Amino acid sequence: MSSPCRPNIVFVLTDDHASNAIGCYGSVVNTTPGIDAIAAAGMRFDRALVENALCTPSRAAFLTGTYSHTSAVTTLATHLTNDHETFITALKAAGYRTAMFGKWHLGHGPEHDPVGFDHWEVLPDQGEYFDPEFFTPDGQVRHEGYVTDIITDHALAWMEAQGDEPYCVLVWHKAPHRPWLPHPRHADLFTDPIPLPPTFDDDYDGRGTPAHHATMRIADYLTDIDLKEDPPAELGYAERAVWKYQRYMQDYLRCVAAVDEGVQALTEFLHEKGRFDDTVTIYASDQGFYLGEHGWFDKRFMYEESLRMPLVLSYPARVAAGASTEALVSNVDIAQTLLDFAGVAAPEGMQGRSLVELLTAADPTPVRDAHYYRFYEHDDHMHHVWAHYGVRTDRYKLIYYYADGMGLPNTGNTSYPPEWELFDLEKDPYELTSVHLDPAYADIRRELTLKLWDLQQDLGDSPHPRQPVPEGRTR
């Protein structure tokens, strides 16, 4: 395959799009031909994992190629200061034209507005689904219409206006984020019953306190704003839970449908211009999401449904079509990957790994043997998930709930006794039973405890003071 040295880059990012709601990942609830076409033309990543399953920190990780403890973007209320180098500032310095449309969610004002972009239009905070307002370098402007369509259309107009210089455009959507307001054109979709996930009735019996403490159960914590109508009065608790799940999923999947139409519009444009083959086209979400698994909605936990993000990438000039990989990759890897494809040196402080060899070589070197995760937004007032960190390998996952907000914004003031969980993902893929206290896993527990500690040292993160120092290590 021939290789242009400076490809265009089109990066579509959504908010809260679960892999289980994408066709090429085996969805049984919807189809996504636009996203699937990118995967068919390139590579699907089956173990793409986030370093912090929360919108703001994850978006910072994509941009900076660093972990939350390095960027200092740890919770929804800690924003990215624009003195950080990003893959955008590096591309801009190398002569790329750059633009950003959609959800920023990294703060506003002189210290937080996007930098390195020739043009940007971003939603204030979470933004609105209908007739949304946008911040721009020239002030605030409101556009009539549906936010997903507006973001796509404005990105297409900007792409149309570009000349021969290479460009990078970020098309970062609000959808399918809560409160899941679909376009009326999709009102007739998904009216048939949607299958319940196998763990919908999970009682958390095999987990520790944190799973019991969280307030994300569909049966109990979806609001009237989420559901848009009241459940039938005659339904009992279990029947009402299923009714709520159906209403939630209908609107969620309808929002995804608009996103997928936008993806199709972008790739059709590239094909029409004869540029698809020499464009890096990437689709991802800022984390996974619970679609009724464990009875939940939302994200935050290190369990697979929120830890795993969808990630597909095509670049036909260099990446073979129809590939997939189970390599452990991270959202911190994307910045260096895009810079590597563009032939631009990565800023020195980036902590990810370029995935170019994985994407292009017949026998690539493993990217990593373990993935590090940390969730800081302890016991927030809506979801009440405990702060935790952990390590995920091919087969196992170790989680330490240090259960302390550490005074960070948007965290609760109450600390709880710390707890551990350990899962054998080969024997227990749904993570229903922790084996941390099982004597049969003593060696695995010891090995992963050391791996977690060593990863924290390698990445420059600090173990919580309550975490015991593993044997053979010093604080």
Side-chain angles (χ1 to χ4, degrees):
M1 290 178 284
S2 62
S3 174
C5 61
R6 291 163 69 83
N8 290 335
I9 298 169
V10 177
F11 182 2
V12 183
L13 184 70
T14 45
D15 197 324
D16 295 345
H17 192 182
S19 300
N20 289 346
I22 297 178
C24 66
Y25 281 98
S27 173
V28 297
V29 296
N30 69 331
T31 60
T32 50
I35 299 167
D36 296 354
I38 299 175
M43 181 174 283
R44 184 191 71 233
F45 294 82
D46 291 339
R47 292 180 178 176
L49 311 175
V50 296
E51 56 87 38
N52 185 341
L54 205 58
C55 310
T56 300
S58 180
R59 286 164 188 258
F62 276 113
L63 283 167
T64 66
T66 63
Y67 290 80
S68 295
H69 63 270
T70 301
S71 69
V73 183
T74 52
T75 72
L76 292 176
T78 55
H79 297 145
L80 184 69
T81 55
N82 52 26
D83 55 354
H84 284 82
E85 290 188 278
T86 68
F87 75 85
I88 291 294
T89 59
L91 289 173
K92 176 64 176 170
Y96 267 72
R97 299 281 296 168
T98 57
M100 160 84 194
F101 300 90
K103 183 171 178 178
W104 178 244
H105 208 211
L106 291 166
H108 301 294
E111 295 183 353
H112 304 291
D113 282 339
V115 296
F117 295 96
D118 294 296
H119 182 79
W120 54 271
E121 303 174 20
V122 300
L123 298 167
D125 299 318
Q126 292 287 356
E128 303 162 284
Y129 271 104
F130 290 95
D131 300 334
E133 185 178 58
F134 287 82
F135 289 163
T136 76
D138 300 321
Q140 297 172 231
V141 60
R142 187 175 295 276
H143 296 288
E144 293 185 0
Y146 189 60
V147 67
T148 304
D149 299 343
I150 293 167
I151 291 168
T152 299
D153 291 345
H154 287 210
L156 286 168
W158 184 86
M159 292 161 64
E160 177 71 57
Q162 301 313 300
D164 295 331
E165 294 178 349
Y167 63 77
C168 174
V169 58
L170 308 187
V171 188
W172 286 16
H173 288 292
K174 169 186 175 61
H177 193 281
R178 196 179 188 183
W180 312 298
L181 299 178
H183 193 284
R185 69 176 180 269
H186 296 132
D188 294 333
L189 296 181
F190 309 109
T191 54
D192 292 334
I194 297 166
L196 294 173
T199 59
F200 184 76
D201 294 320
D202 189 359
D203 62 4
Y204 319 124
D205 183 55
R207 262 64 41 79
T209 309
H212 296 265
H213 186 79
T215 53
M216 305 191 308
R217 198 163 186 96
I218 288 171
D220 302 319
Y221 296 106
L222 283 180
T223 69
D224 56 351
I225 295 174
D226 299 322
L227 298 169
K228 292 88 174 178
E229 59 181 299
D230 294 328
E234 68 274 12
L235 298 181
Y237 181 84
E239 294 173 312
R240 191 162 61 249
V242 174
W243 183 93
K244 290 181 178 181
Y245 168 79
Q246 297 295 330
R247 282 293 302 121
Y248 158 49
M249 288 294 291
Q250 286 170 350
D251 284 348
Y252 179 94
L253 295 174
R254 290 164 183 166
C255 290
V256 170
V259 168
D260 194 68
E261 290 170 354
V263 171
Q264 291 181 73
L266 291 166
T267 55
E268 287 170 4
F269 172 88
L270 293 171
H271 281 294
E272 290 169 2
K273 297 297 181 181
R275 297 303 306 272
F276 183 77
D277 286 0
D278 58 7
T279 295
V280 177
T281 307
I282 181 171
Y283 181 91
S285 176
D286 54 10
Q287 67 264 316
F289 209 68
Y290 296 105
L291 301 182
E293 297 90 356
H294 308 293
W296 285 333
F297 64 97
D298 209 72
K299 56 259 185 178
R300 290 170 165 78
F301 276 106
M302 197 184 167
Y303 302 138
E304 287 295 289
E305 293 86 0
S306 61
L307 176 67
R308 186 168 70 112
M309 66 179 183
L311 175 63
V312 295
L313 183 150
S314 69
Y315 182 15
R318 293 190 61 185
V319 178
S324 65
T325 178
E326 292 194 348
L328 295 173
V329 304
S330 171
N331 53 343
V332 299
D333 299 330
I334 301 306
Q336 282 161 276
T337 302
L338 297 178
L339 291 174
D340 196 355
F341 271 134
V344 177
E348 187 175 338
M350 288 189 173
Q351 297 175 291
R353 316 277 179 84
S354 171
L355 305 178
V356 167
E357 182 186 352
L358 179 63
L359 284 153
T360 59
D363 187 22
T365 303
V367 178
R368 56 174 57 81
D369 64 357
H371 173 81
Y372 180 62
Y373 177 86
R374 184 163 185 175
F375 175 77
Y376 295 80
E377 197 167 281
H378 170 69
D379 207 30
D380 79 283
H381 72 285
M382 288 185 66
H383 306 92
H384 296 284
V385 174
W386 288 7
H388 59 286
Y389 48 67
V391 60
R392 199 258 202 231
T393 65
D394 281 342
R395 177 169 174 174
Y396 300 103
K397 182 184 295 180
L398 178 72
I399 307 174
Y400 178 66
Y401 296 93
Y402 60 92
D404 178 12
M406 302 177 67
L408 290 171
N410 218 40
T411 62
N413 295 323
T414 303
S415 295
Y416 303 95
E419 297 186 20
W420 293 89
E421 289 181 333
L422 171 63
F423 297 99
D424 183 338
L425 300 175
E426 183 178 290
K427 294 183 177 180
D428 181 21
Y430 295 136
E431 298 167 292
L432 297 177
T433 304
S434 172
V435 293
H436 189 260
L437 298 179
D438 188 335
Y441 287 86
D443 290 342
I444 297 297
R445 182 174 65 242
R446 187 179 305 109
E447 175 186 333
L448 291 179
T449 303
L450 290 171
K451 172 64 76 173
L452 173 61
W453 188 273
D454 291 344
L455 266 179
Q456 290 175 314
Q457 306 310 305
D458 292 344
L459 295 171
D461 198 10
S462 300
H464 191 273
R466 292 198 291 190
Q467 181 183 346
V469 179
E471 183 179 352
R473 300 293 188 268
T474 59
R475 191 175 294 277

